[in-house]
Amino acid sequence: MKLTFFSLASGSSGNCYYLGTPEYGILIDAGIGIRTIRKVLKERGVDLSQIIAVLVTHDHADHIKTVGYLGEMMHIPIYTTAGVHQGIAKSRYVEEVLIHSKHTIEKEVPFRIRDFEITAFEVPHDSTDSVGYYIVYGRHHFTIATDVGHITDKVGEYICKANHLVLEANYDEEMLQFGSYPQFLKERVAGPKGHLSNHEAAEFLATHYTPELKNIWLCHLSKDNNHPELAYKTVDIRLFNEGIRVGKDVSLVALKRTTPSDIYEFDE
């Protein structure tokens, strides 16, 4: 049961991830333009017609820009909670109202999309509502937790279930502190419903690592307060200090904001 993952975009300017089998796939968020989605999928051998669902984490513009088009024009089911759907309906960034494509899910209630068993879980963030997703496909356990104000017990539970983990590492604390953001925005980013720092992600990963975790992708890096090399190094060093070796015990990748990632394939 081969599983394929790649990032189409990851960051404050847009987020979209692909998870698929040889026959079909799903998108997690759709915060980039439809032309870019088509182009990146095609370059990776995936036709848009193979997308059978979109899972939405929350209603901020960089996660929902194209959900209306995908849902109502392309007839792809859009799955998220009632709260997120309410936020999408009110958003000025989504032109097409979700009607026929709207599918409402509940947190902690598993549902199936073909061979994927999916569970949405609560994530603290300053949106109308916000969830992460835990997706099981055969022996593969995939968790995505993006835009995480802080790691709650519930978020931690689903991180620890993962073989393959997409986790936010949004900002470097010193870059944010001494950067150009106004004070209110610095406080919002670093607050309990804002974003997760490199240090916070690294600390949790280092203290909760198990050998079942095979792949980590650091996502949603800030263009102003972070860069991929710094996020990678922060996590790498903290893992090393716990005796966990990147490249041998676990794979680590810091996803770039506007550059699609490599394709990652995992066999049964």
Side-chain angles (χ1 to χ4, degrees):
M1 299 178 74
K2 184 162 129 182
L3 186 68
T4 298
F5 168 77
F6 56 84
S7 168
L8 289 79
S10 179
S12 55
S13 58
N15 297 271
C16 187
Y17 308 93
Y18 172 86
L19 189 67
T21 76
E23 291 79 35
Y24 60 86
I26 60 175
L27 296 180
I28 302 162
D29 288 334
I32 56 178
I34 186 61
R35 291 183 180 178
T36 302
I37 291 175
R38 286 184 189 274
K39 177 177 180 291
V40 176
L41 290 178
K42 184 178 180 180
E43 289 172 348
R44 281 150 176 73
V46 179
D47 191 86
L48 191 58
S49 64
Q50 293 175 252
I51 303 300
I52 60 170
V54 180
L55 309 180
V56 183
T57 60
H58 62 289
D59 62 331
H60 285 166
D62 56 323
H63 296 260
I64 64 170
K65 178 179 178 180
T66 310
V67 295
Y69 184 90
L70 292 171
E72 295 303 306
M73 305 302 289
M74 300 299 299
H75 312 294
I76 299 172
I78 309 297
Y79 291 83
T80 193
T81 65
V84 177
H85 273 305
Q86 290 173 7
I88 293 172
K90 295 176 182 178
S91 176
R92 68 180 187 272
Y93 299 102
V94 179
E95 295 181 3
E96 300 85 356
V97 178
L98 296 180
I99 301 174
H100 303 293
S101 61
K102 179 180 176 181
H103 290 253
T104 301
I105 61 175
E106 296 182 21
K107 297 168 191 172
E108 301 291 313
V109 178
F111 63 99
R112 294 195 71 88
I113 299 177
R114 298 202 191 173
D115 294 319
F116 290 132
E117 182 178 274
I118 304 167
T119 305
F121 57 91
E122 178 88 23
V123 170
H125 191 53
D126 57 1
S127 51
T128 304
D129 193 11
S130 187
V131 295
Y133 288 100
Y134 173 64
I135 303 168
V136 178
Y137 176 72
R139 67 178 180 84
H140 300 291
H141 297 237
F142 183 96
T143 297
I144 180 166
T146 179
D147 296 63
V148 182
H150 65 284
I151 298 179
T152 61
D153 289 344
K154 184 58 63 179
V155 173
E157 174 188 338
Y158 283 97
I159 290 175
C160 292
K161 289 182 177 184
N163 308 129
H164 315 295
L165 172 65
V166 182
L167 179 65
E168 179 175 53
N170 178 259
Y171 66 97
D172 173 76
E173 291 167 346
E174 288 191 5
M175 288 183 69
L176 178 66
Q177 180 182 355
F178 297 108
S180 61
Y181 278 13
Q183 187 59 34
F184 80 90
L185 186 54
K186 292 179 181 181
E187 292 175 359
R188 180 246 166 185
V189 170
K193 290 191 174 182
H195 293 279
L196 203 67
S197 72
N198 296 342
H199 172 77
E200 290 169 315
E203 187 65 24
F204 187 89
L205 291 168
T207 55
H208 292 79
Y209 168 82
T210 67
E212 287 72 32
L213 181 59
K214 302 301 182 185
N215 297 280
I216 302 167
W217 296 274
L218 305 176
C219 72
H220 210 284
L221 276 63
S222 169
K223 70 183 179 72
D224 298 309
N225 302 303
N226 208 355
H227 54 80
E229 294 79 8
L230 179 56
Y232 181 97
K233 183 178 179 180
T234 302
V235 175
D236 182 20
I237 291 173
R238 186 64 186 87
L239 290 174
F240 182 81
N241 289 340
E242 292 292 328
I244 304 159
R245 296 158 296 178
V246 168
K248 184 170 184 180
D249 298 317
V250 67
S251 170
L252 176 66
V253 175
L255 297 172
K256 296 180 180 179
R257 294 181 299 104
T258 57
T259 303
S261 74
D262 293 337
I263 299 172
Y264 301 93
E265 295 183 332
F266 316 105
D267 292 320
E268 186 175 15

